[in-house]
Coordinates of all heavy atoms in Angstrom, one line a residue:
S100 N 158.9 99.4 73.4 CA 159.9 100.0 72.4 C 160.9 99.0 72.0 O 161.3 98.9 70.8 CB 160.6 101.2 73.1 OG 159.7 102.3 73.3
L101 N 161.4 98.2 72.9 CA 162.4 97.1 72.6 C 161.7 96.1 71.6 O 162.4 95.6 70.7 CB 162.9 96.5 73.8 CG 163.8 97.3 74.7 CD1 164.0 96.6 76.0 CD2 165.1 97.6 74.0
Q102 N 160.5 95.7 71.9 CA 159.9 94.7 71.0 C 159.6 95.3 69.6 O 159.6 94.5 68.7 CB 158.6 94.2 71.7 CG 158.8 93.4 72.9 CD 157.6 92.9 73.6 OE1 156.5 93.5 73.5 NE2 157.7 91.8 74.3
D103 N 159.3 96.6 69.6 CA 159.2 97.2 68.2 C 160.5 97.1 67.5 O 160.5 96.8 66.3 CB 158.8 98.6 68.4 CG 157.3 98.8 68.9 OD1 156.6 97.9 68.8 OD2 157.0 99.9 69.3
E104 N 161.6 97.3 68.1 CA 162.9 97.2 67.5 C 163.2 95.8 67.1 O 163.7 95.5 66.0 CB 164.0 97.7 68.5 CG 163.9 99.2 68.8 CD 164.3 100.1 67.6 OE1 165.0 99.5 66.6 OE2 163.9 101.2 67.5
S105 N 162.8 94.8 68.0 CA 163.0 93.4 67.7 C 162.2 92.9 66.5 O 162.7 92.1 65.7 CB 162.7 92.6 69.0 OG 162.9 91.2 68.7
A106 N 161.0 93.5 66.4 CA 160.2 93.1 65.2 C 160.8 93.6 63.9 O 160.8 92.8 62.9 CB 158.8 93.7 65.4
M107 N 161.4 94.8 63.9 CA 162.1 95.3 62.7 C 163.3 94.4 62.5 O 163.7 94.2 61.3 CB 162.4 96.7 62.9 CG 161.2 97.7 62.8 SD 161.6 99.4 62.8 CE 162.2 99.7 64.5
E108 N 164.0 94.1 63.5 CA 165.2 93.2 63.4 C 164.9 91.9 62.8 O 165.6 91.3 61.9 CB 165.9 93.0 64.7 CG 167.3 92.4 64.7 CD 168.3 93.4 64.2 OE1 168.2 94.6 64.5 OE2 169.3 92.9 63.5
R109 N 163.7 91.3 63.2 CA 163.3 90.0 62.7 C 163.0 90.1 61.2 O 163.3 89.3 60.4 CB 162.1 89.6 63.5 CG 161.5 88.2 63.0 CD 160.3 87.8 63.8 NE 159.9 86.4 63.4 CZ 159.1 86.1 62.4 NH1 158.6 87.1 61.7 NH2 158.7 84.9 62.2
E110 N 162.3 91.2 60.8 CA 162.0 91.4 59.4 C 163.2 91.5 58.5 O 163.3 90.9 57.5 CB 161.1 92.7 59.2 CG 160.6 93.0 57.8 CD 159.7 94.2 57.8 OE1 159.3 94.7 58.8 OE2 159.5 94.7 56.6
F111 N 164.2 92.3 59.0 CA 165.5 92.4 58.3 C 166.2 91.1 58.2 O 166.7 90.7 57.2 CB 166.3 93.5 59.1 CG 167.8 93.5 58.6 CD1 168.1 94.2 57.5 CD2 168.8 92.9 59.4 CE1 169.4 94.3 57.1 CE2 170.1 93.0 59.0 CZ 170.4 93.7 57.8
T112 N 166.2 90.3 59.3 CA 166.8 89.0 59.4 C 166.2 88.0 58.4 O 166.9 87.3 57.7 CB 166.8 88.5 60.8 OG1 167.5 89.4 61.7 CG2 167.5 87.1 60.9
L113 N 164.9 88.0 58.4 CA 164.2 87.0 57.5 C 164.5 87.4 56.0 O 164.6 86.5 55.2 CB 162.7 87.1 57.8 CG 162.3 86.4 59.1 CD1 160.8 86.6 59.3 CD2 162.6 84.9 59.1
K114 N 164.5 88.7 55.7 CA 164.8 89.1 54.4 C 166.2 88.6 53.9 O 166.4 88.1 52.8 CB 164.7 90.6 54.3 CG 165.0 91.2 52.9 CD 164.8 92.7 52.9 CE 165.1 93.4 51.6 NZ 166.5 93.4 51.3
N115 N 167.2 88.8 54.8 CA 168.5 88.4 54.5 C 168.6 86.9 54.3 O 169.3 86.4 53.4 CB 169.5 88.8 55.6 CG 169.9 90.3 55.4 OD1 169.9 90.8 54.3 ND2 170.3 90.9 56.5
L116 N 167.9 86.1 55.2 CA 167.9 84.7 55.1 C 167.4 84.2 53.8 O 167.9 83.4 53.1 CB 167.1 84.1 56.3 CG 167.8 83.9 57.6 CD1 166.8 83.4 58.7 CD2 169.0 83.0 57.5
K117 N 166.2 84.8 53.4 CA 165.5 84.4 52.2 C 166.3 84.7 51.0 O 166.5 83.8 50.1 CB 164.2 85.1 52.1 CG 163.3 84.7 50.9 CD 162.0 85.4 50.9 CE 161.2 85.0 49.7 NZ 159.9 85.7 49.6
E118 N 166.9 85.9 50.9 CA 167.7 86.3 49.7 C 168.9 85.4 49.6 O 169.3 85.0 48.5 CB 168.0 87.8 49.8 CG 166.8 88.7 49.6 CD 167.2 90.1 49.8 OE1 168.3 90.4 50.2 OE2 166.3 91.0 49.5
T119 N 169.6 85.2 50.7 CA 170.8 84.4 50.7 C 170.5 82.9 50.3 O 171.2 82.3 49.5 CB 171.5 84.4 52.0 OG1 171.8 85.8 52.4 CG2 172.9 83.7 52.0
E120 N 169.5 82.4 50.8 CA 169.1 81.0 50.5 C 168.7 80.9 49.0 O 169.2 79.9 48.4 CB 167.9 80.6 51.4 CG 167.5 79.1 51.2 CD 166.3 78.8 52.1 OE1 165.6 79.7 52.5 OE2 166.0 77.6 52.3
Q121 N 168.0 81.9 48.5 CA 167.7 81.8 47.1 C 168.9 81.9 46.2 O 169.0 81.1 45.2 CB 166.7 83.0 46.7 CG 165.3 82.8 47.3 CD 164.5 84.0 47.1 OE1 165.0 85.1 46.8 NE2 163.2 83.9 47.2
L122 N 169.9 82.7 46.5 CA 171.1 82.8 45.8 C 171.9 81.5 45.8 O 172.5 81.1 44.8 CB 171.9 84.0 46.3 CG 171.4 85.4 45.9 CD1 172.1 86.5 46.7 CD2 171.5 85.7 44.4
I123 N 172.0 80.9 47.0 CA 172.7 79.7 47.1 C 172.1 78.6 46.2 O 172.8 77.8 45.5 CB 172.8 79.2 48.6 CG1 173.7 80.2 49.4 CG2 173.3 77.8 48.7 CD1 173.7 79.9 50.8
H124 N 170.8 78.5 46.2 CA 170.1 77.5 45.4 C 170.3 77.8 43.9 O 170.1 76.9 43.0 CB 168.6 77.5 45.7 CG 168.3 76.7 46.9 ND1 168.3 75.3 47.0 CD2 167.9 77.1 48.2 CE1 168.0 74.9 48.2 NE2 167.8 76.0 49.0
Q125 N 170.6 79.1 43.6 CA 170.8 79.5 42.2 C 172.2 79.2 41.7 O 172.6 79.4 40.6 CB 170.5 81.0 42.0 CG 169.0 81.3 42.1 CD 168.7 82.8 42.1 OE1 169.6 83.6 41.8 NE2 167.5 83.2 42.5
G126 N 173.1 78.7 42.7 CA 174.4 78.3 42.3 C 175.5 79.2 43.0 O 176.7 78.9 42.8
Y127 N 175.2 80.2 43.8 CA 176.2 81.0 44.4 C 176.6 80.3 45.7 O 176.4 80.7 46.8 CB 175.6 82.4 44.7 CG 175.4 83.2 43.5 CD1 174.1 83.2 42.9 CD2 176.3 84.1 43.0 CE1 173.9 83.9 41.7 CE2 176.1 84.8 41.9 CZ 174.9 84.8 41.3 OH 174.6 85.5 40.2
T128 N 177.3 79.1 45.5 CA 177.7 78.3 46.7 C 178.8 79.0 47.5 O 179.0 78.6 48.7 CB 178.3 77.0 46.2 OG1 179.3 77.2 45.3 CG2 177.2 76.2 45.5
N129 N 179.4 80.1 47.0 CA 180.4 80.8 47.9 C 179.7 81.5 49.0 O 180.4 81.9 50.0 CB 181.1 81.8 47.0 CG 180.2 82.8 46.4 OD1 179.3 82.5 45.7 ND2 180.4 84.1 46.7
L130 N 178.4 81.6 49.0 CA 177.6 82.2 50.1 C 177.3 81.2 51.2 O 176.8 81.6 52.2 CB 176.3 82.8 49.6 CG 176.5 83.9 48.5 CD1 175.1 84.5 48.1 CD2 177.4 85.1 49.0
I131 N 177.6 80.0 51.0 CA 177.3 79.0 52.0 C 178.2 79.3 53.3 O 179.4 79.5 53.2 CB 177.6 77.5 51.6 CG1 176.6 77.1 50.5 CG2 177.6 76.6 52.7 CD1 176.9 75.7 49.9
G132 N 177.5 79.4 54.4 CA 178.2 79.8 55.6 C 178.0 81.2 56.0 O 178.6 81.7 57.0
N133 N 177.3 82.0 55.2 CA 177.0 83.4 55.5 C 176.2 83.5 56.8 O 175.5 82.5 57.2 CB 176.2 84.0 54.4 CG 177.1 84.6 53.3 OD1 176.7 85.3 52.4 ND2 178.4 84.2 53.3
Y134 N 176.4 84.6 57.5 CA 175.6 84.8 58.7 C 175.3 86.3 58.9 O 176.0 87.2 58.4 CB 176.4 84.2 59.9 CG 177.8 84.7 60.1 CD1 178.1 86.0 60.6 CD2 178.9 83.9 59.7 CE1 179.4 86.4 60.7 CE2 180.2 84.3 59.8 CZ 180.5 85.5 60.4 OH 181.8 86.0 60.5
F135 N 174.2 86.5 59.7 CA 173.8 87.8 60.1 C 173.4 87.8 61.5 O 172.3 87.2 61.9 CB 172.6 88.2 59.2 CG 172.8 88.0 57.8 CD1 172.4 86.8 57.2 CD2 173.3 89.0 57.0 CE1 172.5 86.6 55.8 CE2 173.5 88.8 55.6 CZ 173.1 87.6 55.0
L136 N 174.2 88.3 62.4 CA 174.1 88.1 63.9 C 174.0 89.4 64.6 O 174.8 90.3 64.3 CB 175.2 87.3 64.4 CG 175.7 86.0 63.7 CD1 176.9 85.4 64.3 CD2 174.6 85.0 63.6
T137 N 173.1 89.6 65.5 CA 172.9 90.8 66.3 C 172.8 90.4 67.8 O 172.0 89.5 68.1 CB 171.7 91.6 65.9 OG1 171.8 92.0 64.6 CG2 171.6 92.8 66.8

Side-chain angles (χ1 to χ4, degrees):
S100 293
L101 288 170
Q102 289 179 336
D103 290 344
E104 294 290 338
S105 182
M107 289 188 288
E108 191 74 33
R109 180 178 185 275
E110 184 177 346
F111 170 77
T112 299
L113 288 174
K114 179 175 179 291
N115 279 334
L116 279 176
K117 181 179 180 180
E118 291 178 350
T119 304
E120 184 179 18
Q121 289 175 340
L122 288 169
I123 291 172
H124 281 288
Q125 291 170 15
Y127 292 88
T128 56
N129 60 303
L130 299 181
I131 292 177
N133 275 192
Y134 52 79
F135 311 91
L136 314 174
T137 299

